[in-house]
Amino acid sequence: MQYTTLGGTGLKVSIAGFGGGGGSRMGLADGKSAREASNIVRTALDQGITVFDTASSYGSEEAMGLGLKGVDRASVVVSTKHFIAARGSDYTTEEIISGLDNSLKIMGLDYFDIFFIHGLRATQLPRAIDDVFPALKLEQEKGKFRFLGATEAPVSDPRHDMVRQVTEQDLVDVVMVAFSVLNQNARQIAFPGTQAKGIGTYMMFVVRNMFAYHGHTWDTFRRLADEGKLPAEFAADENALDFLIRPDSARDLLDVAYRYVRDEPGVDVTLFGTGKEEHLIHNVESLLGPPLLAADREKLDALFGHLEGVGLESPRPRN
């Protein structure tokens, strides 16, 4: 495994992070029990992963906590998330703090390394600044978590407005950002600020449905070609990206997707989720592979750099 420092937090983290959400939710979406799902955490640990992220809304906190039971707490970086609002209703600040306490109890932890406000929107920032963040700072002083974070809501915020604003105002220590081969604009909008301010970054939506499902990938490419957003060859040729798959480049498109993100300046941790050991090992191998060839990376930038909001769909259920 390769390791880096998470922004200005000083935390040493693996460049690969294991997530308890996505379509798999550690295998819970496939009917596994929390005990069964927890076994994948041990595989992650064996691969050298030290970053573990979940959320109250994922339903995977119990499984994640079981997987981490008995592990040297100082050797891992654990985070969870809670919404400031969901399904059209605001959570009170007291409910958010109660959620933090409940997450600690469910996971059997004394503290989180990072506590994220989940899917924070720019329109919610005034309330967060005036009420939620100050209250959470008091909980931080009690030792319930070490660093405060915010995750963006990519579907409704494809131009990273929330991340840009919290960065400019030095409101959080870590942000979770959607960045991928097909959604590159964080390079111009988010990363210059996070790098300048020393804010740590977790990447999400690196693969999701795109590149994970062949039919979905090419249906999307055909649509974009028909709209004039991709070269016409993408409307007719399902092998239009096969120039990347060769011994001196990448073994498959998943490999391309992970390595493209990993080597981007401003990226600290690349998250993925799965309930399958072989899937986890494949992803780690990709993240530890050699850099993509410069010519291939330049071609990907030229093909997809102008796109916005592509690949930000909700994940399909999968194990």
Side-chain angles (χ1 to χ4, degrees):
M1 180 55 64
Q2 298 170 14
Y3 300 89
T4 190
T5 301
L6 183 63
T9 67
L11 294 173
K12 182 181 179 181
V13 290
S14 55
I15 65 167
F18 182 75
S24 63
R25 294 187 295 115
M26 298 174 61
L28 295 169
D30 196 43
K32 289 183 178 180
S33 68
R35 177 66 63 182
E36 291 168 331
S38 72
N39 292 329
I40 195 70
V41 173
R42 297 295 171 163
T43 303
L45 290 164
D46 289 343
Q47 293 293 308
I49 291 175
T50 63
V51 173
F52 295 88
D53 175 75
T54 183
S56 59
S57 62
Y58 297 162
S60 62
E61 288 181 325
E62 180 185 4
M64 190 78 81
L66 287 170
L68 292 171
K69 189 174 183 179
V71 174
D72 177 10
R73 184 64 183 85
S75 70
V76 291
V77 173
V78 185
S79 59
T80 196
K81 314 187 248 337
H82 288 267
F83 287 109
I84 195 172
R87 295 179 292 278
S89 299
D90 288 347
Y91 287 112
T92 66
T93 301
E94 292 74 20
E95 287 173 328
I96 295 169
I97 293 171
S98 177
L100 165 61
D101 292 337
N102 192 51
S103 292
L104 288 168
K105 181 179 179 180
I106 290 172
M107 294 190 69
L109 299 176
D110 295 325
Y111 67 93
F112 289 108
D113 295 281
I114 307 164
F115 182 69
F116 287 104
I117 292 297
H118 198 174
L120 184 63
R121 292 165 169 79
T123 55
Q124 297 167 335
L125 274 177
R127 181 193 165 209
I129 293 169
D130 292 341
D131 183 13
V132 178
F133 287 166
L136 286 175
K137 288 292 186 181
L138 295 177
E139 302 306 303
Q140 183 180 19
E141 291 172 4
K142 297 175 185 177
K144 294 181 183 179
F145 64 93
R146 299 174 67 187
F147 298 100
L148 180 62
T151 81
E152 63 184 5
V155 176
S156 62
D157 186 12
R159 290 194 57 78
H160 315 285
D161 287 336
M162 184 279 294
V163 169
R164 179 178 52 77
Q165 291 186 45
V166 298
T167 299
E168 290 173 350
Q169 299 179 65
D170 290 319
L171 297 174
V172 298
D173 305 297
V174 186
V175 291
M176 193 175 293
V177 182
F179 178 67
S180 72
V181 172
L182 301 178
N183 193 64
Q184 301 177 17
N185 63 2
R187 177 182 296 128
Q188 294 83 25
I189 300 171
F191 298 152
T194 58
Q195 288 179 284
K197 294 293 185 71
I199 294 175
T201 60
Y202 281 15
M203 298 300 108
M204 59 179 172
F205 285 78
V206 174
V207 171
R208 285 294 174 108
N209 300 338
M210 293 303 300
F211 300 132
Y213 304 99
H214 179 82
H216 179 74
T217 304
W218 295 108
D219 285 346
T220 301
F221 284 171
R222 279 190 288 269
R223 173 179 59 80
L224 292 170
D226 289 341
E227 294 172 358
K229 296 178 181 178
L230 287 180
E233 65 193 86
F234 281 86
D237 184 4
E238 292 192 356
N239 301 311
L241 289 181
D242 274 7
F243 69 90
L244 295 165
I245 314 304
R246 58 182 195 273
D248 67 340
S249 182
R251 54 183 169 169
D252 54 34
L253 292 182
L254 287 173
D255 198 28
V256 171
Y258 282 116
R259 287 161 60 192
Y260 180 89
V261 169
R262 176 208 64 193
D263 287 326
E264 181 69 27
V267 170
D268 292 332
V269 176
T270 300
L271 290 168
F272 64 82
T274 184
K276 286 186 174 181
E277 180 177 305
E278 60 269 27
H279 184 201
L280 186 150
I281 292 172
H282 179 286
N283 292 350
V284 169
E285 289 175 348
S286 291
L287 287 165
L288 297 182
L292 294 175
L293 296 179
D296 290 342
R297 191 175 181 89
E298 290 169 5
K299 183 70 177 292
L300 291 170
D301 290 347
L303 282 170
F304 304 124
H306 62 288
L307 299 177
E308 286 189 354
V310 177
L312 302 184
E313 312 95 339
S314 297
R316 295 183 183 185
R318 57 185 173 87
N319 62 342

